[in-house]
């Protein structure tokens, strides 16, 4: 048993970090891996509500703050968050799920960002270019993919998204889920049971979570890779 645990620990350390995944007990686990080999690390402290990885940068959402690796802690509303990071501009944007607020930080300065429509939730976002935020959000009429100018604080383009669930991968592809059917535009899959949650990772990877299993996929590649998840 000890030998098995040591091998698992060595394999985890050898694989690149990709992001984080909520387990069945709501604990948050780091995800490591590359094509064909994905593993979970040890759970984060229970105080971490959500987290993301952007290259060498890790961001944690604590109960009432955001921690950027070990260097900085910023006050923020309570609850979970969805993050986007732009390295060239040094800008971090966070959507606060419970309070339905958008915040941004650049150059050490933080501010709330006014959205032009009542948004129920943001399920994914990324920077295709500095100053341009690409989001999938849920409004009263359904899901939409939106390109939003942070400089002008206005919508540049907006398009309805079909399906029950949707998110963005780190390359900007829109992922849609409708029951057991999942699509990213260039690729389609039918899972063995209905999708319960998307979890975007780094390098274009996305976890497709169902009630009893997790698969990792990347748009344009047909394979679905198994991700072991802890059971309660």
């Amino acid at each position: 048993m000890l030998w098995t645990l040591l091998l698992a620990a060595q394999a985890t350390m050898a694989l690149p970090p990709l992001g984080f995944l909520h387990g069945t007990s709501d604990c948050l686990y780091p995800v490591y891996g590359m094509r064909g080999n994905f593993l979970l690390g040890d759970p984060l402290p229970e105080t971490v509500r959500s987290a993301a990885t952007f290259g060498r940068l890790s961001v944690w959402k604590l109960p009432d703050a955001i921690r950027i690796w070990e260097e900085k802690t910023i006050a923020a509303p309570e609850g979970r968050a969805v993050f986007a990071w732009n390295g060239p501009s040094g800008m971090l944007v966070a959507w606060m799920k419970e309070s339905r607020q958008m915040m941004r930080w650049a150059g050490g300065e933080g501010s709330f960002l006014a959205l032009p429509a009542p948004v129920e939730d943001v399920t994914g976002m990324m920077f295709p270019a500095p100053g341009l935020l690409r989001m999938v959000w849920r409004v009263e009429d359904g899901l939409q993919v939106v390109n939003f100018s942070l400089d002008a604080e206005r919508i540049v383009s907006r398009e309805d998204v079909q399906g029950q669930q949707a998110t963005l991968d780190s390359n900007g592809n829109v992922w849609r889920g409708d029951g057991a059917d999942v699509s990213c535009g260039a690729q389609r899959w039918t899972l063995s049971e209905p999708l319960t949650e998307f979890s975007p990772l780094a390098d274009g990877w996305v976890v497709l979570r169902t009630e009893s299993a997790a698969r990792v996929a990347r748009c344009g590649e047909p394979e679905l890779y198994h991700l072991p998840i802890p059971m309660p």
Side-chain angles (χ1 to χ4, degrees), residues 24-148:
T24 52
S25 60
D26 207 36
C27 289
L28 198 61
Y29 293 83
V31 181
Y32 301 89
M34 59 185 67
R35 185 183 288 103
N37 189 12
F38 296 94
L39 294 171
L40 293 183
D42 294 331
L44 300 184
E46 293 183 2
T47 53
V48 183
R49 304 297 174 82
S50 52
T53 294
F54 304 100
R56 296 182 179 180
L57 178 74
S58 288
V59 183
W60 289 7
K61 178 63 179 68
L62 304 175
D64 58 357
I66 291 173
R67 179 177 295 170
I68 303 176
W69 199 232
E70 297 293 337
E71 300 176 0
K72 178 183 276 189
T73 300
I74 306 167
E78 292 188 5
R80 292 189 183 186
V82 175
F83 297 107
W85 166 258
N86 181 252
S89 65
M91 179 176 288
L92 175 70
V93 175
W95 165 256
M96 309 298 171
K97 284 183 169 291
E98 280 76 7
S99 61
R100 298 182 182 180
Q101 295 173 296
M102 189 79 79
M103 299 184 70
R104 62 176 170 182
W105 295 267
E109 301 264 334
S111 63
F112 286 96
L113 182 64
L115 298 179
V119 177
E120 296 179 5
D121 195 13
V122 174
T123 58
M125 57 184 181
M126 53 81 67
F127 280 94
L132 183 65
L133 188 64
R134 183 168 171 83
M135 296 179 281
V136 168
W137 67 28
R138 186 181 296 275
V139 291
E140 185 179 0
D141 296 335
L143 291 160
Q144 297 177 336
V145 56
V146 177
N147 289 315
F148 185 79

Side-chain angles (χ1 to χ4, degrees), residues 133-174:
L133 188 64
R134 183 168 171 83
M135 296 179 281
V136 168
W137 67 28
R138 186 181 296 275
V139 291
E140 185 179 0
D141 296 335
L143 291 160
Q144 297 177 336
V145 56
V146 177
N147 289 315
F148 185 79
S149 170
L150 293 171
D151 297 329
E153 295 194 7
R154 67 176 183 88
I155 294 173
V156 177
S157 65
R158 173 166 40 185
E159 182 180 350
D160 291 337
V161 177
Q162 301 301 314
Q164 299 172 339
Q165 300 180 65
T167 192
L168 289 173
D169 64 27
S170 59
N171 296 325
N173 298 302
V174 180

